[in-house]
PDB file of all heavy atoms in Angstrom:
ATOM      1  N   ARG A  20     -29.446  -8.672  17.052  1.00 92.00           N
ATOM      2  CA  ARG A  20     -29.929  -9.199  15.774  1.00 92.00           C
ATOM      3  C   ARG A  20     -29.042  -8.773  14.615  1.00 92.00           C
ATOM      4  O   ARG A  20     -29.361  -9.044  13.458  1.00 92.00           O
ATOM      5  CB  ARG A  20     -31.356  -8.725  15.518  1.00 92.00           C
ATOM      6  CG  ARG A  20     -32.382  -9.236  16.491  1.00 92.00           C
ATOM      7  CD  ARG A  20     -32.796 -10.658  16.192  1.00 92.00           C
ATOM      8  NE  ARG A  20     -33.278 -10.846  14.820  1.00 92.00           N
ATOM      9  CZ  ARG A  20     -33.620 -12.008  14.306  1.00 92.00           C
ATOM     10  NH1 ARG A  20     -33.527 -13.106  15.060  1.00 92.00           N
ATOM     11  NH2 ARG A  20     -34.054 -12.113  13.076  1.00 92.00           N
ATOM     12  N   GLY A  21     -27.948  -8.089  14.903  1.00 93.00           N
ATOM     13  CA  GLY A  21     -27.035  -7.675  13.854  1.00 93.00           C
ATOM     14  C   GLY A  21     -27.296  -6.290  13.303  1.00 93.00           C
ATOM     15  O   GLY A  21     -26.688  -5.898  12.293  1.00 93.00           O
ATOM     16  N   PHE A  22     -28.169  -5.535  13.943  1.00 94.00           N
ATOM     17  CA  PHE A  22     -28.465  -4.175  13.481  1.00 94.00           C
ATOM     18  C   PHE A  22     -27.420  -3.197  13.996  1.00 94.00           C
ATOM     19  O   PHE A  22     -26.798  -3.411  15.029  1.00 94.00           O
ATOM     20  CB  PHE A  22     -29.856  -3.733  13.939  1.00 94.00           C
ATOM     21  CG  PHE A  22     -30.982  -4.304  13.131  1.00 94.00           C
ATOM     22  CD1 PHE A  22     -31.444  -5.600  13.368  1.00 94.00           C
ATOM     23  CD2 PHE A  22     -31.582  -3.549  12.136  1.00 94.00           C
ATOM     24  CE1 PHE A  22     -32.489  -6.134  12.618  1.00 94.00           C
ATOM     25  CE2 PHE A  22     -32.626  -4.068  11.389  1.00 94.00           C
ATOM     26  CZ  PHE A  22     -33.079  -5.363  11.626  1.00 94.00           C
ATOM     27  N   LYS A  23     -27.261  -2.102  13.269  1.00 94.00           N
ATOM     28  CA  LYS A  23     -26.407  -0.998  13.678  1.00 94.00           C
ATOM     29  C   LYS A  23     -27.249   0.264  13.675  1.00 94.00           C
ATOM     30  O   LYS A  23     -28.208   0.372  12.924  1.00 94.00           O
ATOM     31  CB  LYS A  23     -25.241  -0.816  12.702  1.00 94.00           C
ATOM     32  CG  LYS A  23     -24.308  -2.012  12.604  1.00 94.00           C
ATOM     33  CD  LYS A  23     -23.206  -1.739  11.596  1.00 94.00           C
ATOM     34  CE  LYS A  23     -22.261  -2.939  11.469  1.00 94.00           C
ATOM     35  NZ  LYS A  23     -21.204  -2.689  10.449  1.00 94.00           N
ATOM     36  N   HIS A  24     -26.865   1.222  14.530  1.00 91.00           N
ATOM     37  CA  HIS A  24     -27.595   2.488  14.501  1.00 91.00           C
ATOM     38  C   HIS A  24     -26.937   3.448  13.516  1.00 91.00           C
ATOM     39  O   HIS A  24     -25.722   3.405  13.304  1.00 91.00           O
ATOM     40  CB  HIS A  24     -27.684   3.127  15.893  1.00 91.00           C
ATOM     41  CG  HIS A  24     -26.371   3.584  16.438  1.00 91.00           C
ATOM     42  ND1 HIS A  24     -25.727   2.939  17.470  1.00 91.00           N
ATOM     43  CD2 HIS A  24     -25.565   4.617  16.105  1.00 91.00           C
ATOM     44  CE1 HIS A  24     -24.599   3.546  17.735  1.00 91.00           C
ATOM     45  NE2 HIS A  24     -24.471   4.568  16.919  1.00 91.00           N
ATOM     46  N   SER A  25     -27.739   4.260  12.909  1.00 92.00           N
ATOM     47  CA  SER A  25     -27.238   5.248  11.968  1.00 92.00           C
ATOM     48  C   SER A  25     -26.418   6.294  12.714  1.00 92.00           C
ATOM     49  O   SER A  25     -26.793   6.732  13.796  1.00 92.00           O
ATOM     50  CB  SER A  25     -28.400   5.932  11.250  1.00 92.00           C
ATOM     51  OG  SER A  25     -27.984   7.091  10.564  1.00 92.00           O
ATOM     52  N   THR A  26     -25.309   6.698  12.127  1.00 91.00           N
ATOM     53  CA  THR A  26     -24.500   7.756  12.734  1.00 91.00           C
ATOM     54  C   THR A  26     -25.086   9.136  12.444  1.00 91.00           C
ATOM     55  O   THR A  26     -24.669  10.122  13.043  1.00 91.00           O
ATOM     56  CB  THR A  26     -23.061   7.705  12.193  1.00 91.00           C
ATOM     57  OG1 THR A  26     -23.096   7.772  10.753  1.00 91.00           O
ATOM     58  CG2 THR A  26     -22.370   6.425  12.604  1.00 91.00           C
ATOM     59  N   ASN A  27     -26.057   9.201  11.534  1.00 93.00           N
ATOM     60  CA  ASN A  27     -26.682  10.479  11.200  1.00 93.00           C
ATOM     61  C   ASN A  27     -27.954  10.728  11.998  1.00 93.00           C
ATOM     62  O   ASN A  27     -28.379  11.865  12.155  1.00 93.00           O
ATOM     63  CB  ASN A  27     -26.997  10.517   9.698  1.00 93.00           C
ATOM     64  CG  ASN A  27     -25.758  10.388   8.847  1.00 93.00           C
ATOM     65  OD1 ASN A  27     -24.884  11.241   8.892  1.00 93.00           O
ATOM     66  ND2 ASN A  27     -25.663   9.309   8.081  1.00 93.00           N
ATOM     67  N   ASP A  28     -28.587   9.664  12.485  1.00 92.00           N
ATOM     68  CA  ASP A  28     -29.784   9.785  13.309  1.00 92.00           C
ATOM     69  C   ASP A  28     -29.879   8.518  14.149  1.00 92.00           C
ATOM     70  O   ASP A  28     -30.117   7.443  13.611  1.00 92.00           O
ATOM     71  CB  ASP A  28     -31.033   9.960  12.435  1.00 92.00           C
ATOM     72  CG  ASP A  28     -32.255  10.309  13.266  1.00 92.00           C
ATOM     73  OD1 ASP A  28     -32.280   9.966  14.471  1.00 92.00           O
ATOM     74  OD2 ASP A  28     -33.181  10.915  12.721  1.00 92.00           O
ATOM     75  N   TYR A  29     -29.721   8.658  15.454  1.00 91.00           N
ATOM     76  CA  TYR A  29     -29.662   7.489  16.324  1.00 91.00           C
ATOM     77  C   TYR A  29     -31.019   6.803  16.484  1.00 91.00           C
ATOM     78  O   TYR A  29     -31.121   5.758  17.115  1.00 91.00           O
ATOM     79  CB  TYR A  29     -29.111   7.886  17.705  1.00 91.00           C
ATOM     80  CG  TYR A  29     -27.597   7.802  17.763  1.00 91.00           C
ATOM     81  CD1 TYR A  29     -26.813   8.495  16.868  1.00 91.00           C
ATOM     82  CD2 TYR A  29     -26.965   7.018  18.713  1.00 91.00           C
ATOM     83  CE1 TYR A  29     -25.429   8.423  16.907  1.00 91.00           C
ATOM     84  CE2 TYR A  29     -25.588   6.932  18.776  1.00 91.00           C
ATOM     85  CZ  TYR A  29     -24.815   7.640  17.866  1.00 91.00           C
ATOM     86  OH  TYR A  29     -23.440   7.554  17.909  1.00 91.00           O
ATOM     87  N   SER A  30     -32.082   7.400  15.919  1.00 92.00           N
ATOM     88  CA  SER A  30     -33.380   6.736  15.949  1.00 92.00           C
ATOM     89  C   SER A  30     -33.569   5.807  14.763  1.00 92.00           C
ATOM     90  O   SER A  30     -34.608   5.166  14.635  1.00 92.00           O
ATOM     91  CB  SER A  30     -34.501   7.777  15.968  1.00 92.00           C
ATOM     92  OG  SER A  30     -34.504   8.512  14.758  1.00 92.00           O
ATOM     93  N   LEU A  31     -32.568   5.714  13.883  1.00 95.00           N
ATOM     94  CA  LEU A  31     -32.640   4.853  12.711  1.00 95.00           C
ATOM     95  C   LEU A  31     -31.632   3.718  12.861  1.00 95.00           C
ATOM     96  O   LEU A  31     -30.454   3.945  13.139  1.00 95.00           O
ATOM     97  CB  LEU A  31     -32.340   5.659  11.444  1.00 95.00           C
ATOM     98  CG  LEU A  31     -32.332   4.879  10.122  1.00 95.00           C
ATOM     99  CD1 LEU A  31     -33.731   4.359   9.806  1.00 95.00           C
ATOM    100  CD2 LEU A  31     -31.812   5.756   8.978  1.00 95.00           C
ATOM    101  N   PHE A  32     -32.087   2.463  12.658  1.00 96.00           N
ATOM    102  CA  PHE A  32     -31.232   1.283  12.714  1.00 96.00           C
ATOM    103  C   PHE A  32     -31.316   0.566  11.366  1.00 96.00           C
ATOM    104  O   PHE A  32     -32.331   0.643  10.674  1.00 96.00           O
ATOM    105  CB  PHE A  32     -31.686   0.331  13.828  1.00 96.00           C
ATOM    106  CG  PHE A  32     -31.600   0.909  15.208  1.00 96.00           C
ATOM    107  CD1 PHE A  32     -32.609   1.724  15.712  1.00 96.00           C
ATOM    108  CD2 PHE A  32     -30.509   0.651  16.022  1.00 96.00           C
ATOM    109  CE1 PHE A  32     -32.545   2.249  16.985  1.00 96.00           C
ATOM    110  CE2 PHE A  32     -30.426   1.176  17.303  1.00 96.00           C
ATOM    111  CZ  PHE A  32     -31.448   1.982  17.776  1.00 96.00           C
ATOM    112  N   TYR A  33     -30.236  -0.134  11.012  1.00 95.00           N
ATOM    113  CA  TYR A  33     -30.249  -0.865   9.746  1.00 95.00           C
ATOM    114  C   TYR A  33     -29.406  -2.130   9.857  1.00 95.00           C
ATOM    115  O   TYR A  33     -28.506  -2.250  10.693  1.00 95.00           O
ATOM    116  CB  TYR A  33     -29.726   0.008   8.598  1.00 95.00           C
ATOM    117  CG  TYR A  33     -28.295   0.478   8.767  1.00 95.00           C
ATOM    118  CD1 TYR A  33     -27.207  -0.313   8.373  1.00 95.00           C
ATOM    119  CD2 TYR A  33     -28.026   1.734   9.307  1.00 95.00           C
ATOM    120  CE1 TYR A  33     -25.901   0.116   8.528  1.00 95.00           C
ATOM    121  CE2 TYR A  33     -26.725   2.172   9.465  1.00 95.00           C
ATOM    122  CZ  TYR A  33     -25.669   1.365   9.073  1.00 95.00           C
ATOM    123  OH  TYR A  33     -24.372   1.800   9.234  1.00 95.00           O
ATOM    124  N   LYS A  34     -29.746  -3.087   8.983  1.00 95.00           N
ATOM    125  CA  LYS A  34     -29.001  -4.337   8.883  1.00 95.00           C
ATOM    126  C   LYS A  34     -28.820  -4.647   7.401  1.00 95.00           C
ATOM    127  O   LYS A  34     -29.791  -4.799   6.670  1.00 95.00           O
ATOM    128  CB  LYS A  34     -29.752  -5.482   9.572  1.00 95.00           C
ATOM    129  CG  LYS A  34     -29.032  -6.830   9.516  1.00 95.00           C
ATOM    130  CD  LYS A  34     -29.833  -7.909  10.244  1.00 95.00           C
ATOM    131  CE  LYS A  34     -29.120  -9.255  10.207  1.00 95.00           C
ATOM    132  NZ  LYS A  34     -29.909 -10.301  10.911  1.00 95.00           N
ATOM    133  N   LYS A  35     -27.573  -4.691   6.962  1.00 93.00           N
ATOM    134  CA  LYS A  35     -27.264  -4.916   5.553  1.00 93.00           C
ATOM    135  C   LYS A  35     -26.365  -6.136   5.413  1.00 93.00           C
ATOM    136  O   LYS A  35     -25.310  -6.203   6.048  1.00 93.00           O
ATOM    137  CB  LYS A  35     -26.570  -3.694   4.946  1.00 93.00           C
ATOM    138  CG  LYS A  35     -27.376  -2.407   5.025  1.00 93.00           C
ATOM    139  CD  LYS A  35     -26.595  -1.209   4.513  1.00 93.00           C
ATOM    140  CE  LYS A  35     -27.370   0.082   4.692  1.00 93.00           C
ATOM    141  NZ  LYS A  35     -26.590   1.270   4.273  1.00 93.00           N
ATOM    142  N   GLN A  36     -26.801  -7.073   4.601  1.00 90.00           N
ATOM    143  CA  GLN A  36     -26.021  -8.277   4.306  1.00 90.00           C
ATOM    144  C   GLN A  36     -26.199  -8.611   2.826  1.00 90.00           C
ATOM    145  O   GLN A  36     -27.251  -9.115   2.426  1.00 90.00           O
ATOM    146  CB  GLN A  36     -26.476  -9.460   5.168  1.00 90.00           C
ATOM    147  CG  GLN A  36     -26.144  -9.334   6.643  1.00 90.00           C
ATOM    148  CD  GLN A  36     -26.630 -10.524   7.457  1.00 90.00           C
ATOM    149  OE1 GLN A  36     -27.569 -11.202   7.065  1.00 90.00           O
ATOM    150  NE2 GLN A  36     -25.986 -10.789   8.586  1.00 90.00           N
ATOM    151  N   GLY A  37     -25.179  -8.298   2.050  1.00 88.00           N
ATOM    152  CA  GLY A  37     -25.288  -8.535   0.616  1.00 88.00           C
ATOM    153  C   GLY A  37     -26.389  -7.696  -0.002  1.00 88.00           C
ATOM    154  O   GLY A  37     -26.417  -6.468   0.122  1.00 88.00           O
ATOM    155  N   GLU A  38     -27.336  -8.379  -0.656  1.00 89.00           N
ATOM    156  CA  GLU A  38     -28.461  -7.688  -1.281  1.00 89.00           C
ATOM    157  C   GLU A  38     -29.599  -7.422  -0.298  1.00 89.00           C
ATOM    158  O   GLU A  38     -30.582  -6.755  -0.646  1.00 89.00           O
ATOM    159  CB  GLU A  38     -29.000  -8.532  -2.460  1.00 89.00           C
ATOM    160  CG  GLU A  38     -27.996  -8.755  -3.573  1.00 89.00           C
ATOM    161  CD  GLU A  38     -27.600  -7.446  -4.254  1.00 89.00           C
ATOM    162  OE1 GLU A  38     -28.490  -6.587  -4.434  1.00 89.00           O
ATOM    163  OE2 GLU A  38     -26.410  -7.284  -4.592  1.00 89.00           O
ATOM    164  N   SER A  39     -29.478  -7.958   0.910  1.00 92.00           N
ATOM    165  CA  SER A  39     -30.542  -7.798   1.916  1.00 92.00           C
ATOM    166  C   SER A  39     -30.310  -6.534   2.738  1.00 92.00           C
ATOM    167  O   SER A  39     -29.207  -6.277   3.221  1.00 92.00           O
ATOM    168  CB  SER A  39     -30.574  -9.016   2.840  1.00 92.00           C
ATOM    169  OG  SER A  39     -31.415  -8.786   3.949  1.00 92.00           O
ATOM    170  N   SER A  40     -31.381  -5.750   2.902  1.00 94.00           N
ATOM    171  CA  SER A  40     -31.333  -4.527   3.710  1.00 94.00           C
ATOM    172  C   SER A  40     -32.648  -4.368   4.465  1.00 94.00           C
ATOM    173  O   SER A  40     -33.718  -4.482   3.862  1.00 94.00           O
ATOM    174  CB  SER A  40     -31.091  -3.294   2.834  1.00 94.00           C
ATOM    175  OG  SER A  40     -29.884  -3.396   2.121  1.00 94.00           O
ATOM    176  N   VAL A  41     -32.548  -4.116   5.759  1.00 95.00           N
ATOM    177  CA  VAL A  41     -33.735  -3.879   6.579  1.00 95.00           C
ATOM    178  C   VAL A  41     -33.474  -2.630   7.418  1.00 95.00           C
ATOM    179  O   VAL A  41     -32.387  -2.471   7.985  1.00 95.00           O
ATOM    180  CB  VAL A  41     -34.040  -5.077   7.508  1.00 95.00           C
ATOM    181  CG1 VAL A  41     -35.226  -4.764   8.414  1.00 95.00           C
ATOM    182  CG2 VAL A  41     -34.341  -6.317   6.682  1.00 95.00           C
ATOM    183  N   PHE A  42     -34.472  -1.733   7.481  1.00 96.00           N
ATOM    184  CA  PHE A  42     -34.342  -0.481   8.218  1.00 96.00           C
ATOM    185  C   PHE A  42     -35.442  -0.390   9.280  1.00 96.00           C
ATOM    186  O   PHE A  42     -36.582  -0.780   9.037  1.00 96.00           O
ATOM    187  CB  PHE A  42     -34.437   0.710   7.271  1.00 96.00           C
ATOM    188  CG  PHE A  42     -33.336   0.760   6.255  1.00 96.00           C
ATOM    189  CD1 PHE A  42     -33.490   0.142   5.014  1.00 96.00           C
ATOM    190  CD2 PHE A  42     -32.148   1.410   6.530  1.00 96.00           C
ATOM    191  CE1 PHE A  42     -32.478   0.177   4.074  1.00 96.00           C
ATOM    192  CE2 PHE A  42     -31.127   1.445   5.593  1.00 96.00           C
ATOM    193  CZ  PHE A  42     -31.301   0.826   4.366  1.00 96.00           C
ATOM    194  N   VAL A  43     -35.054   0.138  10.437  1.00 95.00           N
ATOM    195  CA  VAL A  43     -35.990   0.303  11.553  1.00 95.00           C
ATOM    196  C   VAL A  43     -35.884   1.738  12.037  1.00 95.00           C
ATOM    197  O   VAL A  43     -34.808   2.190  12.447  1.00 95.00           O
ATOM    198  CB  VAL A  43     -35.663  -0.671  12.705  1.00 95.00           C
ATOM    199  CG1 VAL A  43     -36.622  -0.441  13.869  1.00 95.00           C
ATOM    200  CG2 VAL A  43     -35.732  -2.112  12.238  1.00 95.00           C
ATOM    201  N   ALA A  44     -37.001   2.463  11.984  1.00 95.00           N
ATOM    202  CA  ALA A  44     -37.062   3.834  12.501  1.00 95.00           C
ATOM    203  C   ALA A  44     -37.906   3.834  13.768  1.00 95.00           C
ATOM    204  O   ALA A  44     -39.013   3.291  13.779  1.00 95.00           O
ATOM    205  CB  ALA A  44     -37.652   4.775  11.467  1.00 95.00           C
ATOM    206  N   VAL A  45     -37.385   4.431  14.830  1.00 92.00           N
ATOM    207  CA  VAL A  45     -38.030   4.372  16.143  1.00 92.00           C
ATOM    208  C   VAL A  45     -38.361   5.779  16.625  1.00 92.00           C
ATOM    209  O   VAL A  45     -37.504   6.681  16.573  1.00 92.00           O
ATOM    210  CB  VAL A  45     -37.120   3.686  17.180  1.00 92.00           C
ATOM    211  CG1 VAL A  45     -37.814   3.605  18.530  1.00 92.00           C
ATOM    212  CG2 VAL A  45     -36.708   2.312  16.706  1.00 92.00           C
ATOM    213  N   TYR A  46     -39.586   5.987  17.052  1.00 88.00           N
ATOM    214  CA  TYR A  46     -39.973   7.233  17.727  1.00 88.00           C
ATOM    215  C   TYR A  46     -40.716   6.829  19.002  1.00 88.00           C
ATOM    216  O   TYR A  46     -41.893   6.496  18.971  1.00 88.00           O
ATOM    217  CB  TYR A  46     -40.859   8.095  16.832  1.00 88.00           C
ATOM    218  CG  TYR A  46     -41.034   9.506  17.345  1.00 88.00           C
ATOM    219  CD1 TYR A  46     -40.219  10.534  16.902  1.00 88.00           C
ATOM    220  CD2 TYR A  46     -42.009   9.794  18.308  1.00 88.00           C
ATOM    221  CE1 TYR A  46     -40.378  11.826  17.380  1.00 88.00           C
ATOM    222  CE2 TYR A  46     -42.173  11.081  18.788  1.00 88.00           C
ATOM    223  CZ  TYR A  46     -41.351  12.088  18.326  1.00 88.00           C
ATOM    224  OH  TYR A  46     -41.499  13.370  18.809  1.00 88.00           O
ATOM    225  N   VAL A  47     -39.992   6.822  20.110  1.00 82.00           N
ATOM    226  CA  VAL A  47     -40.487   6.361  21.411  1.00 82.00           C
ATOM    227  C   VAL A  47     -40.961   4.912  21.286  1.00 82.00           C
ATOM    228  O   VAL A  47     -40.146   4.008  21.166  1.00 82.00           O
ATOM    229  CB  VAL A  47     -41.590   7.284  21.976  1.00 82.00           C
ATOM    230  CG1 VAL A  47     -41.878   6.906  23.443  1.00 82.00           C
ATOM    231  CG2 VAL A  47     -41.157   8.751  21.922  1.00 82.00           C
ATOM    232  N   ASP A  48     -42.276   4.659  21.258  1.00 81.00           N
ATOM    233  CA  ASP A  48     -42.759   3.274  21.185  1.00 81.00           C
ATOM    234  C   ASP A  48     -43.390   2.954  19.831  1.00 81.00           C
ATOM    235  O   ASP A  48     -43.989   1.892  19.669  1.00 81.00           O
ATOM    236  CB  ASP A  48     -43.752   2.989  22.310  1.00 81.00           C
ATOM    237  CG  ASP A  48     -44.948   3.936  22.286  1.00 81.00           C
ATOM    238  OD1 ASP A  48     -44.917   4.901  21.495  1.00 81.00           O
ATOM    239  OD2 ASP A  48     -45.893   3.726  23.058  1.00 81.00           O
ATOM    240  N   ASP A  49     -43.289   3.867  18.876  1.00 89.00           N
ATOM    241  CA  ASP A  49     -43.767   3.618  17.521  1.00 89.00           C
ATOM    242  C   ASP A  49     -42.598   3.275  16.620  1.00 89.00           C
ATOM    243  O   ASP A  49     -41.575   3.968  16.624  1.00 89.00           O
ATOM    244  CB  ASP A  49     -44.511   4.835  16.969  1.00 89.00           C
ATOM    245  CG  ASP A  49     -45.835   5.053  17.661  1.00 89.00           C
ATOM    246  OD1 ASP A  49     -46.646   4.109  17.675  1.00 89.00           O
ATOM    247  OD2 ASP A  49     -46.070   6.153  18.201  1.00 89.00           O
ATOM    248  N   VAL A  50     -42.758   2.210  15.830  1.00 92.00           N
ATOM    249  CA  VAL A  50     -41.641   1.686  15.044  1.00 92.00           C
ATOM    250  C   VAL A  50     -42.086   1.482  13.593  1.00 92.00           C
ATOM    251  O   VAL A  50     -43.168   0.937  13.350  1.00 92.00           O
ATOM    252  CB  VAL A  50     -41.138   0.339  15.627  1.00 92.00           C
ATOM    253  CG1 VAL A  50     -39.946  -0.181  14.824  1.00 92.00           C
ATOM    254  CG2 VAL A  50     -40.765   0.502  17.096  1.00 92.00           C
TER     255      VAL A  50
END
């Protein structure tokens, strides 16, 4: 979907395109 994982915490993913930003934090099966 175009997301990348954070290099500072692999449980954090983000997708940035221009002014759009979406973040996903994962802890096992809770998101």
